[in-house]
Amino acid sequence: MLYFEIKTHRPGITYVRPHFFILNKGQNSGRPMCIPCPNCFVITTKTEEDKTTLFYLTMILQQGQYFAYYLKGSVIPFITINDCKRTMLSLSNHNPENLKKTIKAIRLITQKEEALKQNIMKLKQLKQAFINASLKSKTWR
């Protein structure tokens, strides 16, 4: 079983133990983040391995729309800390072996996605440099 604590993040506080943040307001409630924002929870764990497992578990829950059931509020939807914790605990205790396989696959897919984003950014820079070089040459004038 994974051990974690979930609290409301207060700006200015630094955390010593391994941690990550979960957005708690808006349509993306439940989204895990490495950098805090004003409307988020902080998850602290004992080990870096637990942090990584919980981060990807939360990503699975958010992208699978599991947190959407618990959204409250009519103008700005939000998720409560208890609903977030209950949802994370229910999935973490469901089937540990299957969960490990799923998290491993999601982690690999996320790494590939980040690599593709980097490649796209480099291609955009290359395109911009090519356009700038073409416009500076005298053949266009």
Side-chain angles (χ1 to χ4, degrees):
M1 178 167 175
L2 298 171
Y3 171 80
F4 66 94
E5 289 181 2
I6 182 169
K7 295 180 181 179
T8 302
H9 170 68
R10 284 181 258 135
I13 294 178
T14 56
Y15 303 97
V16 179
R17 296 191 311 182
H19 63 280
F20 68 95
F21 304 93
I22 297 177
L23 186 65
N24 65 358
K25 287 193 179 172
Q27 292 298 325
N28 288 323
S29 292
R31 187 182 79 191
M33 305 176 300
C34 295
I35 301 170
C37 70
N39 300 317
C40 65
F41 301 133
V42 62
I43 304 290
T44 55
T45 63
K46 289 183 177 179
T47 65
E48 195 69 33
E49 182 181 332
D50 285 350
K51 177 197 129 180
T52 304
T53 301
L54 284 168
F55 184 87
Y56 287 104
L57 172 74
T58 307
M59 183 184 292
I60 290 167
L61 289 169
Q62 194 267 333
Q63 291 180 357
Q65 301 288 321
Y66 285 90
F67 290 118
Y69 176 77
Y70 297 103
L71 288 178
K72 296 169 178 55
S74 58
V75 177
I76 299 175
F78 65 95
I79 187 169
T80 64
I81 202 164
N82 290 331
D83 290 339
C84 185
K85 185 174 186 174
R86 190 177 318 118
T87 305
M88 290 174 67
L89 284 173
S90 69
L91 189 62
S92 67
N93 295 331
H94 184 64
N95 186 351
E97 289 303 317
N98 191 22
L99 183 63
K100 284 182 184 180
K101 289 178 186 177
T102 303
I103 288 174
K104 186 176 179 181
I106 294 296
R107 189 174 187 180
L108 182 63
I109 291 168
T110 303
Q111 289 171 351
K112 295 290 185 183
E113 181 182 22
E114 289 300 317
L116 287 172
K117 285 180 184 178
Q118 291 293 326
N119 287 342
I120 289 171
M121 188 171 57
K122 298 277 186 200
L123 286 171
K124 284 181 181 180
Q125 290 173 351
L126 179 64
K127 181 172 72 172
Q128 188 65 42
F130 182 73
I131 289 170
N132 290 342
S134 296
L135 293 177
K136 287 182 182 179
S137 70
K138 296 186 184 221
T139 58
W140 285 88
R141 293 185 185 170

